[in-house]
Amino acid sequence: MIKVENKFSNRMVAYYFDASFSFIDTLADKHNCILLTDKNIAELYQSKFSSYKTIVIEAGEAFKQQYTVDTIIQQLIELGADRKTTLVGIGGGVVTDITGYVASVYMRGIDFAFVPTTILAMVDAAIGGKNGIDVGVYKNMVGTINQPKYLLYDFSFLETLPNEQWINGFAEIIKHACIKDALLFQELENNTLDVYKTNKDVLVDLIKKNATLKTDVVVKDEYETSERKLLNFGHTFGHAIENLYQLPHGHAISIGMVIAAKISEEINNLYSDEKERLTQLLQKYGLPIQLNFDKEKVLSILKMDKKRVKEEIDFILLNNIGEAVIMPISLTQVEDLVNQIL
Amino acid sequence: MIKVENKFSNRMVAYYFDASFSFIDTLADKHNCILLTDKNIAELYQSKFSSYKTIVIEAGEAFKQQYTVDTIIQQLIELGADRKTTLVGIGGGVVTDITGYVASVYMRGIDFAFVPTTILAMVDAAIGGKNGIDVGVYKNMVGTINQPKYLLYDFSFLETLPNEQWINGFAEIIKHACIKDALLFQELENNTLDVYKTNKDVLVDLIKKNATLKTDVVVKDEYETSERKLLNFGHTFGHAIENLYQLPHGHAISIGMVIAAKISEEINNLYSDEKERLTQLLQKYGLPIQLNFDKEKVLSILKMDKKRVKEEIDFILLNNIGEAVIMPISLTQVEDLVNQIL
């Protein structure tokens, strides 16, 4: 096991890599610890969780809504959770987002921690303290920024991860490479998903590299006034189509990155070759690169994106593979671009 | 108008005393400002609010629940509220609690401000950043601690305040006197509610004194690890009976203070005379001093009080009028005390 401590604005967050799940007993009083997980994970790992108080929610983004929060809060009350309780979220991004949110508001805030069980949660969702829920089709409309006490990486959970979830996670890894790390992009070009699935050391190295990359960006700008915005690459159109078409997050983001690359080509001089490298890499990892969507509906959702301020949205565009830039674009220009290039 | 700035952990909060409501236009872009108020205030002050986007909620503690938050969030989306929007809560404690909570989670946090319109909100609820909602009978079970940008005191709102709301507010004023200010207690003994209602200068002095007293306590201990707990005097039993019997907050707290004084007499050597002074003062200001409640039900709600940690609750007891102390009491002892002295 390797412990790495990262200093965020209000607290240190410990990352335990290559740890075993049972190590959580040494990190908080077991009798005042409540697990929160989803039905899929709960079914697969019953025996691991049987000695803990556990709250189980439905699996999937469709349930990342207020009514799920309501049921969790009822259960916390019934389980006698108090201000010293630690809520431990075990699962993918939906579980970690909801865990962080509930813990941030229950009794005006209790401790929480994450055991991410998907590639996506390990490299992205569990890191950086953004939590929240969707409001209908609007992604993450309600939430807070609040850091967990610790993240515990037990890679054995990946043994049961379905193939589509592996693919999903690689969308965020490719995003990291696009905005910050041309060498990582090359590594991904030289490998295949199967290489990572079958070589634990190579995989663990990839996960640590990506967790570190995201952490470094967030630590510099926790409340997203500048650099953290880069992590939104692909997420503006991605979020607008995700709930509307009930796409897996990675698929939505993949399509969103292709759109952002096209816009980058159009107004930011991204070479067409670079855009092609991106679309090829996404396809190589099993990700979709286009969707025939209802332009009007998508634009209307996009107008309520959190990144909008008055009539402008901060778009993340590429200069090159490995280097991104924040560019405010007016809603009118976004509409023109959509009609012109999509 | 007098401006006082108070430094909390994460931000300065400006208090504008003796200001006029219209001054809010100088404090934030009017076009990106949304008012939140209740039906009573909205009806009385239609003309003041007509040039603003306004969200109106039902009046009363019974509506300080998640479903009201849900409707406010829907309206914020419909009104196009973005990250630069300021939400201004105009009303009593229910409105300020909900305003602070919604603004703390909408888009992961937007600016908010308060225009308290009741005595209770002016001296207590609007101050200190605690916000939240009830979950069924459990008071303030969900919320955050997050400071507003400013408080604006326009005393002309008090001209329409119903008499029962004046009485309500004096419960918290008497609480302040009990825990921190024996001279204030004497002043209240020497005056009557009518004196304050008919002498604006005397009233304004009282409100400022109480706003300052609470602010000083909170600034020293914003996240309630020690001294801030003193402000919970009367609030443990008070909260347990408030929603169960649908009492006005001031009434519930008044009865809670009497219970806390009886417990103080029993286990903290409070002189019986001092307890009598308190019950007499409460009655002088129109507040109730007892209630025949269902002990079992109340104890079961009290077990889920936020102040409980495992099997203990931090009770606030009096040493004397003007001096309080935090005393952890086990749930078993609380039960014994209830059966013995109530």
Side-chain angles (χ1 to χ4, degrees):
Chain A
M1 194 189 76
I2 303 165
K3 179 180 178 184
V4 179
E5 288 203 291
N6 290 294
K7 194 175 179 337
F8 292 82
S9 313
N10 297 315
R11 82 182 311 161
M12 296 293 286
V13 181
Y15 293 38
Y16 298 95
F17 289 112
D18 255 324
S20 162
F21 175 74
S22 60
F23 190 68
I24 70 167
D25 291 349
T26 65
L27 299 171
D29 174 7
K30 184 168 181 169
H31 302 290
N32 215 354
C33 193
I34 295 178
L35 310 186
L36 177 62
T37 190
D38 71 24
K39 279 194 176 167
N40 294 341
I41 299 288
E43 210 166 281
L44 287 164
Y45 297 99
Q46 271 177 356
S47 58
K48 264 196 206 312
F49 305 156
S50 60
S51 61
Y52 300 86
K53 294 178 187 171
T54 306
I55 296 172
V56 180
I57 62 174
E58 298 288 334
E61 184 79 23
F63 297 95
K64 209 178 90 172
Q65 301 272 344
Q66 183 62 43
Y67 56 80
T68 304
V69 172
D70 294 343
T71 65
I72 296 168
I73 284 169
Q74 280 303 341
Q75 287 176 78
L76 286 173
I77 293 173
E78 284 158 22
L79 291 170
D82 64 35
R83 280 183 168 156
K84 300 285 181 200
T85 297
T86 302
L87 189 64
V88 183
I90 305 158
V94 172
V95 168
T96 57
D97 271 20
I98 288 205
T99 298
Y101 182 50
V102 169
S104 297
V105 300
Y106 181 72
M107 291 191 169
R108 297 202 183 96
I110 61 172
D111 275 339
F112 61 102
F114 298 141
V115 180
T117 62
T118 64
I119 299 284
L120 196 144
M122 287 182 184
V123 301
D124 183 21
I127 296 166
K130 279 192 183 175
N131 60 49
I133 50 168
D134 305 337
V135 177
V137 294
Y138 300 112
K139 287 273 302 175
N140 305 330
M141 202 56 158
V142 162
T144 72
I145 295 183
N146 190 17
Q147 301 301 330
K149 225 165 99 180
Y150 67 82
L151 303 184
L152 184 144
Y153 288 78
D154 176 344
F155 296 113
S156 74
F157 281 106
L158 295 175
E159 287 161 21
T160 57
L161 190 69
N163 191 55
E164 67 263 30
Q165 289 300 334
W166 281 84
I167 293 172
N168 229 354
F170 272 75
E172 298 290 1
I173 291 173
I174 293 171
K175 179 194 79 179
H176 287 157
C178 281
I179 62 169
K180 278 278 166 190
D181 193 340
L183 281 179
L184 172 60
F185 198 94
Q186 276 175 30
E187 176 191 318
L188 293 162
E189 287 179 319
N190 295 335
N191 284 336
T192 62
L193 188 53
D194 251 11
V195 171
Y196 293 109
K197 284 178 82 167
T198 51
N199 289 277
K200 201 192 156 192
D201 291 351
V202 182
L203 175 70
V204 167
D205 177 68
L206 181 77
I207 290 173
K208 280 186 202 162
K209 192 183 291 177
N210 277 275
T212 307
L213 185 153
K214 173 154 184 189
T215 302
D216 289 348
V217 171
V218 176
V219 162
K220 274 188 227 156
D221 176 30
E222 187 168 345
Y223 297 101
E224 196 169 306
T225 58
S226 53
E227 178 154 348
R228 184 168 186 170
K229 292 184 184 180
L230 299 181
L231 295 168
N232 295 328
F233 177 59
H235 280 61
T236 302
F237 276 95
H239 277 173
I241 59 175
E242 182 173 344
N243 285 8
L244 186 59
Y245 294 103
Q246 288 161 37
L247 301 176
H249 182 66
H251 287 205
I253 277 9
S254 179
I255 294 160
M257 286 192 279
V258 175
I259 297 173
K262 284 184 182 169
I263 296 178
S264 304
E265 190 186 4
E266 191 67 21
I267 65 173
N268 195 42
N269 301 317
L270 177 71
Y271 287 124
S272 167
D273 290 0
E274 300 269 276
K275 185 193 70 183
E276 286 304 317
R277 279 178 73 197
L278 172 58
T279 54
Q280 277 168 23
L281 188 66
L282 292 168
Q283 286 177 292
K284 183 175 184 181
Y285 284 86
L287 288 158
I289 57 165
Q290 62 179 347
L291 176 78
N292 285 324
F293 56 79
D294 180 327
K295 289 179 185 176
E296 223 167 292
K297 272 193 190 160
V298 166
L299 283 167
S300 87
I301 295 174
L302 200 132
K303 279 176 191 157
M304 275 316 296
D305 189 288
K306 289 191 304 303
K307 294 177 280 298
R308 175 188 60 85
V309 170
K310 293 189 181 162
E311 299 303 316
E312 274 189 352
I313 293 190
D314 279 342
F315 257 83
I316 309 307
L317 302 181
L318 295 184
N319 294 335
N320 315 292
I321 294 296
E323 190 187 326
V325 67
I326 306 164
M327 193 174 289
I329 308 188
S330 74
L331 290 174
T332 329
Q333 196 183 356
V334 171
E335 203 167 333
D336 291 347
L337 284 164
V338 165
N339 290 320
Q340 198 177 324
I341 61 175
L342 299 184
Chain B
M1 194 190 75
I2 304 165
K3 179 181 177 184
V4 180
E5 288 204 290
N6 291 294
K7 194 177 179 336
F8 292 82
S9 314
N10 298 314
R11 81 183 310 161
M12 295 293 286
V13 181
Y15 293 38
Y16 299 95
F17 290 111
D18 256 323
S20 162
F21 175 74
S22 60
F23 189 69
I24 70 166
D25 292 350
T26 65
L27 299 172
D29 174 8
K30 184 169 181 168
H31 303 291
N32 215 355
C33 194
I34 296 179
L35 309 186
L36 177 63
T37 190
D38 70 25
K39 278 194 174 164
N40 294 342
I41 298 288
E43 211 165 280
L44 287 163
Y45 298 98
Q46 270 176 357
S47 59
K48 264 196 207 309
F49 306 156
S50 60
S51 62
Y52 300 86
K53 294 178 187 171
T54 306
I55 296 172
V56 180
I57 62 174
E58 298 289 334
E61 184 79 23
F63 298 94
K64 208 178 91 171
Q65 301 272 345
Q66 182 62 42
Y67 57 79
T68 304
V69 172
D70 293 343
T71 64
I72 296 167
I73 284 170
Q74 280 302 342
Q75 287 176 81
L76 286 173
I77 293 173
E78 283 157 22
L79 291 169
D82 63 35
R83 281 183 168 155
K84 300 285 181 199
T85 297
T86 302
L87 190 64
V88 182
I90 305 158
V94 172
V95 168
T96 58
D97 270 20
I98 287 204
T99 299
Y101 182 49
V102 168
S104 297
V105 300
Y106 182 70
M107 290 191 169
R108 299 205 182 95
I110 61 172
D111 275 340
F112 61 102
F114 298 141
V115 181
T117 62
T118 65
I119 300 283
L120 196 144
M122 288 181 183
V123 301
D124 183 22
I127 296 167
K130 279 191 183 176
N131 60 49
I133 50 168
D134 305 337
V135 177
V137 293
Y138 300 112
K139 288 273 302 176
N140 305 329
M141 201 57 157
V142 162
T144 71
I145 295 183
N146 191 16
Q147 302 301 330
K149 225 166 101 178
Y150 66 83
L151 303 184
L152 184 143
Y153 287 79
D154 177 345
F155 297 114
S156 75
F157 281 108
L158 296 175
E159 287 161 20
T160 57
L161 190 69
N163 191 56
E164 66 264 30
Q165 288 301 333
W166 281 84
I167 293 172
N168 229 354
F170 272 75
E172 297 289 1
I173 292 174
I174 294 171
K175 179 194 79 179
H176 287 157
C178 282
I179 62 168
K180 277 279 167 190
D181 194 339
L183 281 179
L184 172 60
F185 198 94
Q186 277 175 31
E187 175 191 320
L188 293 162
E189 286 179 319
N190 296 334
N191 284 336
T192 62
L193 187 54
D194 250 12
V195 171
Y196 292 109
K197 285 179 82 168
T198 51
N199 289 278
K200 200 192 157 193
D201 291 349
V202 182
L203 176 70
V204 167
D205 178 67
L206 181 77
I207 290 172
K208 281 186 202 161
K209 193 183 292 178
N210 277 274
T212 307
L213 185 153
K214 173 153 185 189
T215 302
D216 289 348
V217 171
V218 176
V219 162
K220 275 187 227 157
D221 176 31
E222 187 168 345
Y223 297 101
E224 198 170 304
T225 59
S226 54
E227 178 152 347
R228 185 168 187 171
K229 292 184 183 180
L230 299 180
L231 295 167
N232 295 328
F233 177 59
H235 280 60
T236 302
F237 275 95
H239 276 173
I241 59 176
E242 181 173 345
N243 285 7
L244 185 60
Y245 294 102
Q246 288 161 36
L247 301 176
H249 183 67
H251 288 205
I253 276 11
S254 179
I255 295 160
M257 285 192 280
V258 175
I259 297 173
K262 285 184 183 169
I263 296 178
S264 304
E265 191 186 3
E266 190 68 22
I267 63 172
N268 195 42
N269 303 316
L270 178 72
Y271 287 124
S272 168
D273 289 3
E274 300 270 275
K275 185 194 70 186
E276 286 305 315
R277 280 178 74 196
L278 172 58
T279 55
Q280 278 168 24
L281 188 65
L282 292 168
Q283 285 177 294
K284 183 174 185 180
Y285 283 85
L287 287 158
I289 56 165
Q290 61 180 348
L291 176 78
N292 285 323
F293 54 79
D294 180 327
K295 289 178 184 175
E296 222 166 295
K297 270 193 190 160
V298 167
L299 283 167
S300 86
I301 294 174
L302 200 133
K303 280 177 190 158
M304 274 318 295
D305 189 287
K306 289 192 302 305
K307 294 177 280 299
R308 175 187 61 84
V309 169
K310 292 190 182 162
E311 298 304 315
E312 275 189 351
I313 293 190
D314 278 342
F315 257 82
I316 309 307
L317 301 182
L318 296 184
N319 294 335
N320 314 291
I321 294 295
E323 190 187 327
V325 66
I326 306 164
M327 193 175 289
I329 308 188
S330 73
L331 291 174
T332 328
Q333 195 183 358
V334 172
E335 202 167 334
D336 291 347
L337 284 164
V338 165
N339 289 321
Q340 197 178 326
I341 61 175
L342 299 183

